[in-house]
Amino acid sequence: MQSAPTSSSGSAVKTSSTTPLGGGGSNDSTATKRSTRVRPGDFIFRGLSTGSAVLIMVILAGVALFLIISAIPAITADWSTNSQLNTGPTAAFPNFWAYVGPLIWGTLWSAAIALLFGAPIGIGIALFISHYAPRRLASILGYLVDLLAAVPSIVFGLWGIIVIRPFLLPLSDWLSANLGWIPLFGGPVTTTGSTILAGALVLAVMILPIITSISREIFLQTPRLNEEAALALGATRWEMIRLAVFPYAKSGIVSATLLGLGRALGETMAIALIISPAILVSVRLITEGQNSQTIAANIALNFPIATTLQRDALIGTGLMLFVISLAVNSIARLIVNGKRGKRKKGKDKPSTPGPLSTLPSGDFASATAIDVVAGTPRIGVSDIEGPTPEEDIEGARY
Amino acid sequence: MKFKNVAATGAVFLAAALALSACSSSTSSTGSSTAASTGTAAAAAVVSTPDSSLTGTITAGGSSAQANAETAWTAAYTAQVKGVTVNYDKSQGSGGGVTNWLAGSYDFAGSDAPLKADQQTSSQAICGTGGGLNLPVYLDGVAIIYNLPGVSALNLSTNTLADIFALKITTWNDPAIAADNPGVSLPATAITTVTRSDGSGTTQNFSNFLSAAAPSIWTFPPTNTWPIAGTSAQKGGSGVVQAVGAGAGTIGYADHSAIGTATAATINNVAFSQAGATAAFTAGATTVPTTTGDLSQKFDYSKLTGPSIYPIPLISYQIVCSTFKDPAQAALTKSYVGYVASSVGQQIAQKNAGSAPIPDSMLTQIQATLATVK
């Protein structure tokens, strides 16, 4: 979302650094004069940043190559006769696909439940921070949510075992007794609480920071004019959010959710600790013998005792996870870029929100700066009646 | 701000003081235990006096079951041989330990299972034609722990135990359990079996027992991963202990030294004791014959009967090369493993890690094998 304005403002800073703000006329001549001399700093920095970009491509390709090469022996092997594969954790499966299929299901299933809980709450928190909370509370809350991202997943795992599992036991019992006829709540009810429900709830907490921080940034970028127009037409705050903020932020919310999904798909330690896994396809939420295992947790649990080919099989499941994550991230990009592409074509102008369009198009740096300054007070908007003093001043600028 | 700084400095000092006191206390405790064991060493049959002039680092890792014992051994050993550092990485698990050892990065591997045939073959790449040597240095028992409110003592016969873990007995008031516990009123609670979700030497030892002692009920081959779905599967021995404690009507298995305050059932009316595990080793363990001096053990579970023999022992090995690539590392590792496989070393593990001592006859054989290591 942010990449386009940031890069353009970066180049603008370079050219306009010596000229006063808004001096659009003299800007061009200075820039041409400067560009005739190549400075070593420019050269080195350009080399470094290009090198970094190339490096990440090489690393990604290297990881993909490693996964594919390592996985091939296990994928092509005959699992029923191979002495390394017909023992231990892979004994029950005739081939690689029978092994990885339930794991893919378990990965998607647990992540989907986590999203079901995590996405609405994450978006709710983001909305509260951007549009409802008083400024002080908003910044504290934003900080706290970001702090959540710094908690190691093994701590979440222990928290899940010691707190969440017993906490959910009465709920599981109730669901089993009263709604046991629904397949979701079927099966023998748990006694230790080691369910996919508990795991997915902890997972939901773990993806909150990602969803919240991205959604918050996007909500804050809603064009002020749209919001003010909605309020001026007599919309309540909720109606303003529904009419102005949500339509603007739709693609951003989707990409935030999908990035959260990506996090949930790859989570390992918390899942491995909390859920009692089995490699089977199941939708049951509150049993402990029939929870579908996830790919990442399965690797963590079985890697230490794996034979050579079993290790290759685990790497093969990792390859599948890689493909799934790639697909999820690509879909997120497609949704975001697709929306933006359309808008760009329609407007024929950078789609950077805020008052940018009213400023000289050459001066992105100051425009972005103003946008940032103008953006922050919005956190503090707390009264519903009308614009705050800051907004009045800001309005005068137009 | 200033106050904060003062407080922070104070906190640092406090932490340092705590760390120091922790250090000194641990040093003194190892010192005393060493002293105590040196006192008894005179009476012990197998003595291994490490050469205190050795210097270097021993890198090893593997089984988490013997991790507590390794910590105790390392502390006691390095107190005598100041120049040697022993790094034992328990996060690898038995399989990871063997893998790293086969890759040449470990001086010895800790493993709950001896080398398999294919591993023995590939070990010749790092150990020469003699391959690797499995040395049984750690003995413990698999404890059957349960949580059944109102039942403070539980006895299970081998067949009932196998039936429970094969999910054929599903409630606590089943006649088979009642027959094992005359006079105990058992509730109708459903049984939740708690097993390991990760591969484990404990599972290996327990399924060895089940498939040998109750072959008609437990039809699965011995394995290091639990073969039946439908149990509550937990990561790590501590995960099993935690889950058994958290639910009512649960039963699970764990390395005895790791069960903490959980209640263990008696098996065939025998409660776990260190002496019971040692007696089981003496009564039922036989060395798998090889020409290299390898000491892989095989239990004859049919011999593990009687009131003083605990029927589910657990063995863990240290695996070393018959010929090291680096003679200096060979000397270091021989010295350390020799210390571990001495009566003193076994007493230290018994005292600090709760394991059972390996019988002296086996320790003597280990020392003999170690003498051939180059």
Side-chain angles (χ1 to χ4, degrees), chain B residues 289-311:
Chain B
T290 56
T291 53
T292 57
D294 181 82
L295 295 170
S296 304
Q297 298 299 305
K298 197 170 167 52
F299 274 106
D300 181 351
Y301 288 96
S302 64
K303 289 184 182 163
L304 305 187
T305 52
S308 62
I309 296 178
Y310 188 71

Side-chain angles (χ1 to χ4, degrees), chain A residues 152-305:
Chain A
S153 62
I154 190 144
V155 172
F156 275 114
L158 293 175
W159 177 64
I161 287 183
I162 293 163
V163 179
I164 296 299
R165 282 195 341 197
F167 176 76
L168 288 176
L169 274 180
L171 177 71
S172 309
D173 288 339
W174 187 87
L175 285 173
S176 173
N178 296 293
L179 297 170
W181 49 273
I182 302 175
L184 282 179
F185 307 121
V189 68
T190 179
T191 52
T192 63
S194 188
T195 62
I196 200 166
L197 182 67
L201 275 182
V202 173
L203 213 50
V205 176
M206 297 175 72
I207 62 174
L208 275 184
I210 292 181
I211 296 182
T212 301
S213 58
I214 296 176
S215 313
R216 183 186 61 197
E217 289 307 312
I218 295 188
F219 291 153
L220 285 174
Q221 287 182 10
T222 313
R224 299 196 52 70
L225 291 175
N226 294 10
E227 292 181 12
E228 282 169 10
L231 289 172
L233 286 171
T236 63
R237 174 140 305 210
W238 157 240
E239 285 165 339
M240 181 272 280
I241 288 169
R242 199 158 47 96
L243 293 170
V245 179
F246 278 167
Y248 177 82
K250 201 158 61 184
S251 66
I253 293 174
V254 170
S255 71
T257 310
L258 286 179
L259 283 172
L261 180 63
R263 172 87 166 88
L265 288 172
E267 178 45 39
T268 310
M269 250 2 247
I271 294 287
L273 284 174
I274 297 169
I275 298 179
S276 156
I279 301 181
L280 43 76
V281 176
S282 159
V283 295
R284 292 178 171 173
L285 293 178
I286 55 169
T287 71
E288 50 200 336
Q290 292 166 27
N291 299 311
S292 292
Q293 173 69 304
T294 71
I295 290 176
N298 186 55
I299 293 175
L301 290 175
N302 287 313
F303 184 77
I305 48 116

Side-chain angles (χ1 to χ4, degrees), chain B residues 66 80 125 177 220 231 259 279 288 325 328 333-334 363:
Chain B
Q66 53 174 283
Q80 290 186 35
I177 304 179
F220 307 92
T231 66
I259 66 169
V288 179
K325 284 197 167 140
T333 312
K334 275 169 76 173
L363 295 180

Side-chain angles (χ1 to χ4, degrees), chain B residues 20-206:
Chain B
L20 282 176
S21 67
C23 263
S24 64
S25 71
S26 72
T27 319
S28 69
S29 73
T30 31
S32 68
S33 75
T34 321
S37 41
T38 329
T40 50
V46 183
V47 185
S48 170
T49 318
D51 178 0
S52 59
S53 66
L54 287 171
T55 53
T57 302
I58 299 173
T59 311
S63 160
S64 56
Q66 53 174 283
N68 289 340
E70 290 286 351
T71 311
W73 287 324
T74 302
Y77 178 79
T78 52
Q80 290 186 35
V81 190
K82 297 251 174 356
V84 175
T85 313
V86 184
N87 296 321
Y88 183 85
D89 181 1
K90 66 171 178 177
S91 69
Q92 299 295 321
S94 296
V98 171
T99 305
N100 287 349
W101 176 74
L102 285 174
S105 26
Y106 282 166
D107 295 315
F108 71 85
S111 174
D112 298 340
L115 292 176
K116 298 187 188 81
D118 60 317
Q119 292 169 332
Q120 189 63 267
T121 311
S122 48
S123 74
Q124 292 178 354
I126 57 161
C127 300
T129 48
L133 300 170
N134 303 293
L135 308 172
V137 295
Y138 179 86
L139 178 63
D140 199 4
V142 178
I144 305 301
I145 52 174
Y146 70 97
N147 181 3
L148 190 59
V151 180
S152 57
L154 183 74
N155 176 52
L156 297 170
S157 66
T158 303
N159 285 346
T160 312
L161 184 64
D163 271 329
I164 290 174
F165 277 95
L167 307 182
K168 286 172 184 157
I169 293 179
T170 54
T171 54
W172 281 104
N173 60 356
D174 190 277
I177 304 179
D180 288 343
N181 296 278
V184 177
S185 78
L186 294 158
T189 319
I191 297 177
T192 304
T193 54
V194 184
T195 61
R196 291 285 288 268
S197 60
D198 50 342
S200 157
T202 315
T203 307
Q204 178 78 53
N205 280 282
F206 186 43

